[in-house]
Amino acid sequence: MAERRRLDQPRASRITLPRFDPEAFGQWSEGIARFMGTAKFLVYMTIVILAWIAWNTLTPRSWQFDPYTFTFLTLILSLQASYAAPLILLAQNRQADRDRLASEEDRRRAAAQKADTEYLAREIAALRIALGEVATRDFLRSELARVAEELDEAADRRAKAERKKVRKALGSLADPLGADEPDDVVDSDEPPRRRSRRD
């Protein structure tokens, strides 16, 4: 029994077209387009055209394969131009796709760098706020100088108190002998000396 065909589905094609790799074809077309855009291609094409014209004008008529008006040369050049234009367009499309991908990648990197910069700016601002409460080197120097002065003053007060004690002690010893020691001797930095009985 023959298989019934459905009218709501397209009929499968029995013709199979040759398959090719678009990437390989694109690279090949880009290579041709790049070569056609060089001075080497122009020089080679000029040499071929001049040789073609010279051969078909200077050689005997029996050797000429494309006599004057050069119809075959015109056909070759138009074929070359008709194939060159799509190859160049294909290469340009591939380059445009690459440029679009590169611009999207650049945009993504710029957005990431902007986010990183904003994060770093916020961190630096937070560090500045935190450092505003931290003592600086000049503040520490001034505080240490003030503490050193206070310690010097306390040491002077203790030294004066010790001199007073010594003066009182000497005074109590000197009174039974009947001679008082002058105050300017006791106030000197040297420790007080006891008077001998000879003095």
Side-chain angles (χ1 to χ4, degrees):
M1 186 172 177
E3 183 182 347
R4 294 182 64 185
R5 294 180 181 166
R6 294 184 56 176
L7 298 177
D8 60 342
Q9 291 179 351
R11 189 169 55 179
S13 176
R14 293 181 182 170
I15 300 171
T16 57
L17 296 174
R19 297 184 178 272
F20 60 92
D21 184 13
E23 185 65 27
F25 185 76
Q27 290 177 356
W28 176 75
S29 65
E30 280 183 343
I32 292 176
R34 283 197 185 97
F35 177 69
M36 291 176 76
T38 60
K40 187 186 290 186
F41 173 76
L42 291 175
V43 169
Y44 289 165
M45 190 171 73
T46 304
I47 289 171
V48 167
I49 289 172
L50 290 176
W52 186 296
I53 292 172
W55 180 271
N56 287 295
T57 54
L58 300 176
T59 58
R61 185 167 290 276
S62 60
W63 289 6
Q64 296 175 2
F65 57 89
D66 188 18
Y68 179 71
T69 67
F70 310 115
T71 309
F72 189 45
L73 176 62
T74 307
L75 174 66
I76 294 295
L77 291 177
S78 24
L79 278 175
Q80 182 243 337
S82 65
Y83 275 98
L87 287 175
I88 291 170
L89 287 174
L90 179 60
Q92 286 178 348
N93 289 338
R94 285 172 58 85
Q95 185 62 41
D97 291 341
R98 279 196 297 270
D99 292 342
R100 181 178 50 80
L101 290 175
S103 65
E104 288 176 0
E105 180 67 18
D106 291 343
R107 195 177 301 113
R108 186 189 64 78
R109 286 183 182 176
Q113 287 177 355
K114 182 180 178 184
D116 291 343
T117 304
E118 290 175 353
Y119 171 75
L120 289 175
R122 287 193 300 269
E123 289 295 316
I124 290 171
L127 284 174
R128 283 183 179 170
I129 291 170
L131 285 175
E133 301 171 0
V134 175
T136 61
R137 184 172 54 188
D138 295 334
F139 176 74
L140 286 176
R141 282 181 180 168
S142 63
E143 288 297 311
L144 287 174
R146 186 180 60 79
V147 169
E149 288 175 2
E150 289 178 0
L151 289 174
D152 289 342
E153 289 174 2
D156 289 341
R157 284 195 298 270
R158 281 196 301 273
K160 285 180 182 179
E162 289 291 327
R163 279 192 288 246
K164 284 181 183 178
K165 286 181 185 178
V166 169
R167 194 179 309 138
K168 284 181 184 178
L170 286 176
S172 62
L173 288 175
D175 282 341
L177 297 174
D180 289 335
E181 191 170 337
D183 291 341
D184 57 343
V185 175
V186 177
D187 289 335
S188 66
D189 291 337
E190 295 181 4
R193 293 181 298 165
R194 293 177 101 183
R195 284 188 170 185
S196 65
R197 294 199 178 207
R198 293 178 189 173
D199 296 338

